[in-house]
Amino acid sequence: MPEIQELMRMRSEGSTVAHLNVADIRRLDLGVLPQISVQDAVSQILGSLDDKIIVNDRIREVSSSLLRCYSDVLHWDVSRVRKLSEVIELRYGKALKATDRTPGDVPVFGGNGISGSHDTPLVSGPGIIIGRKGANAGSVSWSQKDFWPIDTAFYVESKGEGLPLEYLFFLLQRVDLRGVVGDSAIPGLNRETALSLGVSLPETDSVTRFVEFVRPMLQRQQAAEEESRSLMELRDALLPKLMSGEIRVKDAERVVEEAV
């Protein structure tokens, strides 16, 4: 509510932590609240969106667990050992200040994962992003679609044996990149140190079968994540309009039915 936000702003002036006390809360004017029946209807409508978001989260969790198990089984059958530098190249991202970003649906990755969005990609997806600097240096992320890695991250290119990126994503999660991150005020992953690590590779046919299984599941995960993001935006947009009466319950029900 605007009044609460304004109170928080006023209370934060000259204070380390913005806060509201009991007296502040008692002075708030909540205006005219909808009838209980309307509140219940709003709760039910928005609850269906939350239910779908929970289902999508569960889909991602289960599929991720299944894929990790498959990856573990795949690497029981090791046929050769290579240096990481023989199978991948680590490319530096490019700086993109928040003030230089244009609203869009292209994810921007930094050293700690997704840090925002932009309208133009730097790298065509799908792709792998590795944190280079920051608290999550050495972390491995996946982008199913085009993306922009900034200068606190690496992105991965396949080389040598031309292993598919889907396979390399799971291979890199098995490598202890976090274990070779430099211990300093700002943690960082040295490119040459990372590429010097050894990796065990299974038979080529096994990798091919793995990728055939993994690829559609990664696509489904991305679709579920994007759907959940859209549903959360819809939920947050509908709530104030329903509570204020700007939109009718029946109209909101139709919008939600189409969304889920």
Side-chain angles (χ1 to χ4, degrees):
M1 294 178 64
E3 185 178 355
I4 295 177
Q5 294 173 349
E6 178 62 17
L7 264 176
M8 287 290 287
R9 185 192 66 77
M10 294 173 59
R11 296 288 294 181
S12 65
E13 294 178 355
S15 174
T16 304
V17 180
H19 65 283
L20 286 173
N21 57 35
V22 175
D24 292 327
I25 294 172
R26 287 175 175 169
R27 286 199 299 270
L28 291 176
D29 181 8
L30 300 180
V32 179
L33 296 176
Q35 296 179 352
I36 294 298
S37 59
V38 174
Q39 294 181 41
D40 290 341
V42 169
S43 177
Q44 185 173 358
I45 292 170
L46 301 186
S48 63
L49 294 176
D50 289 331
D51 290 342
K52 180 57 176 175
I53 292 169
I54 292 172
V55 169
N56 285 341
D57 288 343
R58 185 58 179 162
I59 288 173
R60 295 201 304 272
E61 291 171 3
V62 171
S63 60
S64 293
S65 178
L66 180 59
L67 291 174
R68 284 194 298 269
C69 289
Y70 191 172
S71 176
D72 290 342
V73 172
L74 175 69
H75 288 91
W76 289 348
D77 180 26
V78 175
S79 66
R80 59 204 187 279
V81 177
R82 297 284 187 271
K83 287 286 185 67
L84 201 53
S85 60
E86 297 179 73
V87 295
I88 70 166
E89 184 61 73
L90 292 179
R91 300 294 186 188
Y92 290 95
K94 183 178 180 181
L96 182 65
K97 296 179 180 178
T99 53
D100 294 332
R101 300 175 192 176
T102 303
D105 62 355
V106 175
V108 175
F109 286 84
N112 296 318
I114 294 180
S115 62
S117 61
H118 190 44
D119 67 337
T120 305
L122 180 67
V123 182
S124 297
I128 305 166
I129 305 92
I130 298 177
R132 186 172 75 88
K133 288 185 178 181
N136 288 328
S139 63
V140 182
S141 302
W142 175 261
S143 179
Q144 187 65 36
K145 59 184 185 178
D146 299 349
F147 60 99
W148 187 299
I150 61 174
D151 54 348
T152 57
F154 295 114
Y155 66 95
V156 175
E157 289 184 352
S158 180
K159 63 178 286 191
E161 301 185 32
L163 294 168
L165 288 171
E166 289 88 349
Y167 167 72
L168 290 172
F169 172 58
F170 288 91
L171 175 68
L172 289 167
Q173 291 184 80
R174 299 176 63 85
V175 178
D176 187 20
L177 294 175
R178 301 294 293 270
V180 295
V181 170
D183 185 14
S184 62
I186 302 178
L189 178 65
N190 180 272
R191 179 175 175 273
E192 300 307 319
T193 300
L195 292 174
S196 69
L197 296 173
V199 290
S200 301
L201 304 177
E203 294 287 351
T204 301
D205 289 346
S206 297
V207 172
T208 300
R209 289 193 297 271
F210 176 77
V211 171
E212 289 175 350
F213 177 77
V214 163
R215 185 167 287 156
M217 294 192 71
L218 288 175
Q219 292 171 349
R220 181 66 187 92
Q221 283 184 336
Q222 180 74 35
E225 183 177 342
E226 291 184 354
E227 183 182 47
S228 290
R229 188 178 301 113
S230 296
L231 292 176
M232 286 187 283
E233 291 174 354
L234 176 60
R235 178 195 61 197
D236 294 344
L238 284 177
L239 178 58
K241 292 182 179 181
L242 281 165
M243 296 301 287
S244 66
E246 182 180 344
I247 183 173
R248 297 184 304 172
V249 170
K250 289 185 177 181
D251 293 334
E253 287 177 339
R254 286 195 291 270
V255 171
V256 170
E257 286 175 2
E258 293 175 0
V260 299

